[in-house]
Amino acid sequence: MRSLGAVAARLKPARAEGRGRLPRLWLFSDPARLPDPRAAAAALPRGSGVVARGVESALLPGLARLLRQRRGVLLLGGTPRAALRLRAGLHLPDRAPPPGMAAFRLARRAGAPWALLSAAAHGTPGLARARRQGADLLFLSPLFATPSHPGAPCLGVWRWAALARRAGRPAMALGGITATTAPRTPPGACGLAAITALLHPGHSVSRKSRRLQAEHCRPGSG
């Protein structure tokens, strides 16, 4: 994790208008691999971000307190009402927005500094959707091949960079980010996001994961 943090610290800093500086290192939770992200979040460098997806509602207040104590940022995956209750940001998947957005948008228009909005994007349609939603930042993926989606083509460095230039907002790199691949992150990235590589300090990427990255991030995919 220290390696990812060191690479992230060298990326260009970015800010969300009216909501301050954005983290350059992000942990994504996952219902299967990381259903409770609290311990992993506590091990992150101060000021990091967490995107909580599929986390049980009973765990969220503790996670929110932890990130406030560590001057971090919490984004809840696709749950606007819970984000409002916890005074947390919101992360939208690369599809139609969920119900309950109106109240969250009101909080944003009122200038709530915690009402950060991020969006996932996997290509040009996702960029257009993020612009329509007025996202402050986006998570553009997959940069590299990832065991999360075996066999799926990755964007690759060149296509990722081209999409990031067209995004019109800070772009964070997600997908196949490990201590090995992170140094190849395009210079246009404003942050790194990962699941497996941030599960716990000293986590090493498996031989299988490295093979997937070599096999499926094929020429022509980016």
Side-chain angles (χ1 to χ4, degrees), residues 28 91 94 118-127 130 137-144 155-167 169-177 185-186 188-193:
F28 268 63
H91 175 69
D94 192 356
S118 72
H122 308 300
T124 302
L127 296 188
L137 68 151
L138 61 84
F139 291 92
L140 184 55
S141 71
L143 172 53
F144 303 114
L155 295 172
V157 170
W158 299 112
R159 188 172 179 221
W160 192 99
L163 289 169
R165 285 193 295 270
R166 295 164 53 193
R169 57 213 4 92
M172 311 292 165
L174 173 66
I177 301 294
T185 301
C190 297
L192 300 176

Side-chain angles (χ1 to χ4, degrees), residues 29-215:
S29 71
D30 179 86
R33 286 175 289 164
L34 190 60
D36 182 354
R38 291 176 297 177
L44 293 171
R46 291 180 68 84
S48 298
V50 173
V51 180
R53 304 175 302 169
V55 177
E56 289 185 12
S57 58
L59 303 178
L60 291 174
L63 180 61
R65 283 194 300 273
L66 171 67
L67 286 166
R68 283 194 293 270
Q69 292 165 1
R70 298 184 58 79
R71 298 182 181 274
V73 172
L74 174 62
L75 302 175
L76 299 188
T79 52
R81 294 184 181 91
L84 282 169
R85 286 195 301 271
L86 291 170
R87 299 172 67 84
L90 179 67
H91 175 69
L92 299 178
D94 192 356
R95 54 181 180 269
M101 286 294 297
F104 189 82
R105 292 192 189 285
L106 283 174
R108 284 173 60 78
R109 285 198 289 271
W114 45 265
L116 196 68
L117 181 65
S118 72
H122 308 300
T124 302
L127 296 188
R129 190 174 292 112
R131 283 192 289 269
R132 288 196 300 271
Q133 296 301 324
D136 298 300
L137 68 151
L138 61 84
F139 291 92
L140 184 55
S141 71
L143 172 53
F144 303 114
T146 170
S148 299
H149 302 284
C154 63
L155 295 172
V157 170
W158 299 112
R159 188 172 179 221
W160 192 99
L163 289 169
R165 285 193 295 270
R166 295 164 53 193
R169 57 213 4 92
M172 311 292 165
L174 173 66
I177 301 294
T178 68
T180 301
T181 62
R184 295 194 283 123
T185 301
C190 297
L192 300 176
I195 303 173
T196 306
L198 294 175
L199 287 179
H200 56 78
H203 178 89
S204 60
V205 182
S206 70
R207 187 175 301 170
K208 179 181 178 182
S209 297
R210 289 193 292 268
R211 187 178 71 249
L212 282 167
Q213 289 161 355
E215 290 175 355

